[in-house]
Amino acid sequence: MTMHVWGYLAEYEKERTEILDAVDTVFGSGQLVLGASVEGFEREFAEYHGLPHCVGVDNGTNALVLGLRALGIGPGDEVVTVSNTAAPTVVAIDAVGATPVFVDVHSDTYLMDVEQVEAAITPRTRCLLPVHLYGQCVDMAPLERIAEKHGLPILEDCAQAHGARHHGRTAGTMGKAAAFSFYPTKVLGAYGDGGATVTADPEVDANLRRLRYYGMETTYHVVRLPGYNSRLDEVQAEILRRKLTRLDDYVAKRQAIAQRYAEAFAGTDLVTPVTAPGNTHVYYVHVVRHPRRDAIIEALKAQDIHLNISYPWPVHTQKGFAHLGYKEGSLPVTEAAAKEIFSLPMYPSLTAGDQDRVIDALRGVLAKV
């Protein structure tokens, strides 16, 4: 049987009755756009984070785009972030006309090296955008001090960190605003695209609501541009409401899978995930590292186990971002990691038997490469 790093069919089979009931609830409601399901999910997701405001949007990329717009970021501005991230983080910055400025990451966690941030700030810097990558949070206290010193808002990219904690604080509660993706693979995943931006600031919330609805506050009357058609779908919102009640359970299952991997590969030369001090890791992906990465992936593929690389090309090295002017070697830790990291299967419905198959196959390969 072919194995991949993620799959939803086993989870769907277990939750099928509830998922289909969510669909029927929406179809029978009489309102298919921005109705009770979106309102309910926004309220419940905000409550989960202890925040007053959540605005559901159509995908995680637009959660970032609208978040940046709501904070007043636009052409001519610079946003400090990382290159070791999914490209949408940087695509969103480009989409508002701003320029990404990259700092390197830590070699053990692959998270933003906050000590490099202040040197990257210029008179054009208007926002700091930390990425809570792979399931754990950036070191936020020093970043918050830098933000306060320079009068800069923080927009957290939480696409990979639903439910993660940092010194007791939940990912998404430590900046001016935070963006989430509900792409199906996420810790809290929809059955299609979806996203949300959360904030404690009522003005940011008002801006977000106008931005996602053409710049309107009242139907047919535009009060402020730019405006987008960027609404969270009612069906996805209702599904997410049901799944939100199990978010902590999903996290616990991911953590148990990660613990089994850690025990299985202890004593080998495979580098397993490091959790930064004060963090609770939710393991959106289980990223490991080995200098013979490519040979390992090919050997496992021959056994019908297909692994993934998150991410094989740092953003600053990709053709579409060549105009930013970064050269090979400019972010050495990021570039070195990209040559060696890969991800093992990680999702709550991964069975012990399937995990054993991965462990046994990988241990066998490690003994030979």
Side-chain angles (χ1 to χ4, degrees):
M1 181 183 72
T2 301
M3 280 195 65
H4 296 278
V5 294
W6 177 82
Y8 76 94
L9 290 175
E11 179 183 287
Y12 175 64
E13 189 60 33
K14 181 179 180 181
E15 300 178 0
R16 183 174 185 270
T17 299
E18 191 170 12
I19 298 302
L20 294 181
D21 181 68
V23 175
D24 188 61
T25 295
V26 173
F27 287 177
S29 71
Q31 188 169 359
L32 299 178
V33 178
L34 291 184
S37 293
V38 168
E39 291 175 4
F41 175 72
E42 289 176 339
R43 180 179 63 255
E44 292 153 11
F45 196 66
E47 288 173 352
Y48 179 89
H49 292 87
L51 293 171
H53 307 295
C54 168
V55 179
V57 297
D58 52 348
N59 57 66
T61 306
N62 281 339
L64 285 166
V65 170
L66 271 60
L68 289 164
R69 287 286 193 194
L71 294 173
I73 312 304
D77 296 337
E78 293 179 349
V79 178
V80 179
T81 191
V82 292
S83 178
N84 184 44
T85 183
T89 303
V90 187
V91 168
I93 296 170
D94 180 77
V96 303
T99 300
V101 175
F102 299 121
V103 296
D104 217 337
V105 297
H106 290 289
S107 59
D108 54 353
T109 63
Y110 317 116
L111 296 167
M112 173 184 273
D113 184 348
V114 175
E115 291 185 0
Q116 298 187 24
V117 169
E118 195 153 24
I121 293 173
T122 76
R124 294 173 57 193
T125 305
R126 293 292 180 272
C127 183
L128 307 180
L129 204 167
V131 180
H132 299 320
L133 196 70
Y134 301 150
Q136 65 173 326
C137 296
V138 169
D139 188 9
M140 291 299 292
L143 190 67
E144 289 171 287
R145 289 194 291 270
I146 293 169
E148 183 176 4
K149 176 181 176 180
H150 294 274
L152 299 170
I154 293 174
L155 175 61
E156 299 174 71
D157 184 339
C158 300
Q160 302 186 11
H162 309 74
R165 305 290 198 274
H166 178 65
H167 294 288
R169 297 192 292 173
T170 307
T173 66
M174 296 173 279
K176 188 76 167 180
F180 289 83
S181 168
F182 304 122
Y183 187 75
T185 62
K186 304 302 184 184
V187 180
L188 179 62
Y191 277 68
D193 275 315
T197 308
V198 300
T199 183
D201 188 313
E203 183 178 351
V204 174
D205 174 64
N207 287 340
L208 288 165
R209 293 185 186 281
R210 285 190 292 262
L211 284 161
R212 76 161 174 195
Y213 192 53
Y214 311 111
M216 296 178 181
E217 289 181 353
T218 303
T219 303
Y220 303 130
H221 187 78
V222 174
V223 297
R224 181 175 176 179
L225 291 175
Y228 302 84
N229 177 6
S230 185
R231 302 170 297 221
L232 178 61
D233 181 76
E234 277 286 292
V235 171
Q236 300 302 341
E238 188 63 32
I239 292 171
L240 288 166
R241 293 183 74 183
R242 314 298 179 93
K243 296 188 70 176
L244 179 58
T245 64
R246 292 188 291 276
L247 175 54
D248 291 341
D249 181 57
Y250 294 149
V251 168
K253 289 177 179 177
R254 288 173 178 270
Q255 290 169 337
I257 292 167
Q259 181 61 33
R260 287 196 72 217
Y261 279 138
E263 293 169 357
F265 297 113
T268 73
D269 58 353
L270 186 74
V271 179
T272 53
V274 171
T275 301
N279 275 353
T280 299
H281 205 314
V282 299
Y283 299 99
Y284 164 59
V285 284
H286 192 277
V287 174
V288 296
R289 185 169 184 168
H290 196 282
R292 299 290 306 280
R293 185 264 311 277
D294 294 346
I296 291 170
I297 288 178
E298 286 304 311
L300 289 174
K301 188 185 297 184
Q303 299 183 51
D304 223 9
I305 299 172
H306 298 257
L307 304 183
N308 190 44
I309 303 171
S310 299
Y311 299 93
W313 302 285
V315 172
H316 72 285
T317 67
Q318 296 177 25
K319 182 178 179 180
F321 299 101
H323 64 284
L324 298 175
Y326 287 85
K327 305 298 182 184
E328 286 281 341
S330 57
L331 299 170
V333 179
T334 294
E335 293 167 28
K339 295 179 174 66
E340 298 183 350
I341 56 176
F342 60 108
S343 303
L344 304 185
M346 171 59 74
Y347 46 96
S349 57
L350 182 69
T351 67
D354 283 342
Q355 190 179 14
D356 286 340
R357 179 184 167 197
V358 174
I359 290 168
D360 292 344
L362 182 49
R363 284 185 65 91
V365 171
L366 290 172
K368 299 175 183 177
V369 297

